[in-house]
Amino acid sequence: MDIFNALLSGFAAAITPINLLWCLIGCALGTAVGVLPGIGPAVAVAMLLPITGKVDITASMIFFSGIYYGAMYGGSTTSILLNTPGETASMVTAMEGNKMAKSGRAGAALATAAIGSFVAGTIATVVVTLFAPFVADYAVRLAAPEYFLLMLLAFTTVSAVLGKSTLRGMTALFAGLAIGCVGLDQISGQGRYTGDMPELLDGIEIVLVAVGLFAVAEVLYAVLYEGRVVEGQNKLTRVHMTKRDWKRSIPAWLRGAAIGTPFGCIPAGGTEIPTFLSYATEKKMAKDADAKSEFGTTGAIEGVAGPEAANNATVTAALIPLLTLGIPTSNTTAIMLGAFQNYGIQPGPQLFTTSAALVWALIASLYIGNLMLLVLNLPMVGLWVKLLKIPKPQLYAGILIFATVGAYGMRQNTFDLFLLYAIGLLGVVMRRFDFPTAPVVVGMILGPLAEANLRNAISMGQGSPVVFFQRPESIVILVVIVAVLVLPRVAKRMSEKKLARLAASS
């Protein structure tokens, strides 16, 4: 009953005219961002981070959330029509969706993607509503050793799961930790790694790092390495579904939501695993001979419905570890963590107590945003498709101008612009050599907090590290950290051995 009352108060805050307007703008902008190839939600949120200094916190968080899940809706449009996923989460959708478009069923593919996103997003939002408070209540019991280990878990999962190489992920993490150490020491008050530059005494702004690594690096990388890309677009048919399409899509939506929601709840990061798992499940469960023959040929609607549902369920449920534990599991949630910090708020166990009104307004906005996105996606899909005609040079130039003006507007300091473009060049190098960027942001944000909790934990243990092994909660988190590092390697080794045996027997 308390959860129900809290949710009602959240709706009361979320449905004020100004918050509804910010939600609508966020959803529309997020959908547009998702439609444009190569411009993901992380880039959009990073570019718009400077507004956090001017807008009420509830409105800005609702706005960023609208961009966050709106981009996941819009990503299916470009995947289906152009076979160009704007986000890695849309890769699986492109596999069957583009084949459906080529065989004249683009409208059915877009419809099942939009409705499936709504269904799965709503289911995952209910899970967030019911379980996030319980996770927060339990997490309040944690002390400094557990907080440090939770941050170590965040470092481990983001570094090991995001990107193709754990070594590259750890390297990016240590770069972020180094950036987080710049500025005044929390205890001694002495300047660290400032190079005698007074501008660095207050540390490096998270906004500059996020905008530089995502927005500026995206533009520079496209200019330097991508060159001219000739894109072909499939014809858009009327957005509707037949009775047979509905019959095949509904079970796929439910299965996708069931697969995606647990992956979002655990701090393991990424939508790739649940979307691929959903696709494999739908392909295996196809009983109709016609449906089986459509996979990989003319396009099976289940191959669009299931992965899209899994994708949106994962994205929505990922707010549980972000809000309750302060652990971001993707590029976008890492930047949203920075947005919270710009307001002096640290997501974690205390958030549901200290900022309950904000949290419940944010959760209520998820229900409203899902409904808005359904309305925006189905009738207005023709408008979103027209965005694909914007020339890349003008698009990227606009992003660069917006990022530069936003970064300069924070402190009106030209030093920030030099720093912004230096970080942007670092982002280009990281992209060129396949280093993930999310660990940099996570290391920078959580590094100082991890340092403070490590010092407090060692003080609790009177200088002994044994304090990390004395409490059951600490031991459980340590086991999870070891599992995150070891189990993927064991599974990979076993699959390689199995393939080798099969190759040898054949």
Side-chain angles (χ1 to χ4, degrees):
M1 194 63 184
D2 289 338
I3 291 176
F4 182 71
N5 290 333
L7 185 61
L8 285 180
S9 67
F11 271 108
I15 61 174
T16 59
I18 188 66
N19 286 342
L20 281 176
L21 179 62
W22 278 110
C23 186
L24 179 62
I25 294 172
C27 290
L29 188 59
T31 303
V33 160
V35 167
L36 293 169
I39 312 296
V43 175
V45 176
M47 282 195 304
L48 295 165
L49 265 184
I51 74 163
T52 54
K54 310 292 182 184
V55 179
D56 173 70
I57 180 172
T58 303
S60 67
M61 287 303 143
I62 289 174
F63 174 60
F64 288 141
S65 297
I67 295 174
Y68 176 48
Y69 43 78
M72 296 305 167
Y73 270 70
S76 60
T77 303
T78 183
S79 298
I80 291 167
L81 296 178
L82 285 180
N83 198 27
T84 309
E87 277 279 297
T88 55
S90 302
M91 288 189 301
V92 185
T93 304
M95 292 166 64
E96 296 298 321
N98 189 249
K99 289 181 174 62
M100 288 182 67
K102 286 179 177 177
S103 60
R105 294 187 294 152
L110 289 168
T112 193
I115 299 171
S117 297
F118 170 76
V119 170
T122 303
I123 292 172
T125 304
V126 172
V127 172
V128 172
T129 305
L130 295 177
F131 292 102
F134 292 106
V135 175
D137 287 343
Y138 179 77
V140 168
R141 306 172 195 171
L142 306 180
E146 289 79 32
Y147 280 127
F148 171 73
L149 290 175
L150 276 175
M151 290 170 193
L152 190 62
L153 174 62
F155 297 152
T156 305
T157 54
V158 172
S159 304
V161 176
L162 295 180
K164 299 175 183 176
S165 165
T166 302
L167 179 60
R168 288 189 179 97
M170 296 300 288
T171 304
L173 172 68
F174 281 113
L177 291 173
I179 294 172
C181 288
V182 174
L184 297 176
D185 179 76
Q186 299 177 50
I187 294 178
S188 68
Q190 296 296 313
R192 300 189 297 185
Y193 313 115
T194 60
D196 295 326
M197 296 180 185
E199 293 91 349
L200 294 177
L201 285 174
D202 290 332
I204 298 175
E205 289 280 347
I206 178 61
V207 175
L208 288 178
V209 175
V211 174
L213 280 180
F214 292 95
V216 175
E218 177 77 35
V219 173
L220 296 180
Y221 185 85
V223 170
L224 292 172
Y225 295 108
E226 289 185 354
R228 290 184 176 272
V229 179
V230 179
E231 296 170 345
Q233 182 176 329
N234 292 301
K235 186 179 179 182
L236 176 64
T237 56
R238 192 164 67 91
V239 181
H240 80 292
M241 293 169 63
T242 64
K243 186 177 180 181
R244 184 169 180 264
D245 290 337
W246 280 96
K247 187 177 179 181
R248 292 170 60 182
S249 294
I250 291 173
W253 294 335
L254 298 177
R255 284 192 292 264
I259 291 170
T261 303
F263 275 94
C265 293
I266 58 175
T271 54
E272 293 84 359
I273 296 174
T275 50
F276 274 105
L277 187 59
S278 174
Y279 179 77
T281 302
E282 296 307 322
K283 194 171 182 180
K284 191 173 183 179
M285 293 191 70
K287 297 176 182 178
D288 191 321
D290 290 338
K292 282 185 177 180
S293 65
E294 287 176 359
F295 274 95
T297 54
T298 58
I301 197 167
E302 296 93 337
V304 178
E308 269 300 299
N311 170 29
N312 281 270
T314 306
V315 164
T316 305
L319 291 175
I320 290 182
L322 176 67
L323 296 175
T324 61
L325 302 175
I327 297 179
T329 58
S330 68
N331 292 340
T332 316
T333 50
I335 298 170
M336 286 180 68
L337 179 61
F340 273 104
Q341 287 205 331
N342 275 359
Y343 285 102
I345 292 175
Q346 177 60 43
Q350 300 288 346
L351 188 65
F352 277 77
T353 304
T354 58
S355 304
L358 167 65
V359 172
W360 287 107
L362 185 61
I363 292 174
S365 76
L366 298 180
Y367 291 97
I368 298 169
N370 264 314
L371 189 59
M372 282 184 176
L373 285 164
L374 187 65
V375 173
L376 285 171
N377 271 266
L378 289 177
M380 299 177 65
V381 69
L383 173 64
W384 306 125
V385 171
K386 289 180 181 178
L387 290 175
L388 296 170
K389 297 179 181 178
I390 298 176
K392 285 288 182 70
Q394 285 85 334
L395 175 65
Y396 284 128
I399 291 173
L400 207 58
I401 292 169
F402 198 92
T404 304
V405 171
Y408 182 76
M410 290 188 301
R411 296 191 300 183
Q412 289 82 46
N413 191 334
T414 52
F415 178 81
D416 288 347
L417 295 183
F418 287 107
L419 196 57
L420 173 72
Y421 281 90
I423 294 169
L425 290 173
L426 173 64
V428 171
V429 173
M430 292 181 70
R431 285 199 57 176
R432 179 64 175 156
F433 295 99
D434 209 17
F435 283 83
T437 47
V440 178
V441 180
V442 173
M444 181 185 172
I445 295 172
L446 296 184
L449 295 169
E451 179 188 6
N453 280 292
L454 176 61
R455 287 175 168 179
N456 292 335
I458 295 297
S459 298
M460 286 174 58
Q462 297 179 344
S464 172
V466 179
V467 68
F468 294 107
F469 304 92
Q470 291 176 334
R471 296 161 60 95
E473 293 89 350
S474 299
I475 295 172
V476 170
I477 299 172
L478 281 169
V479 170
V480 173
I481 292 171
V482 172
V484 168
L485 288 173
V486 174
L487 289 181
R489 287 164 181 74
V490 173
K492 185 178 180 182
R493 187 69 58 85
M494 289 175 66
S495 65
E496 287 174 352
K497 287 182 177 179
K498 186 176 179 181
L499 289 172
R501 284 197 302 269
L502 289 171
S505 62
S506 60

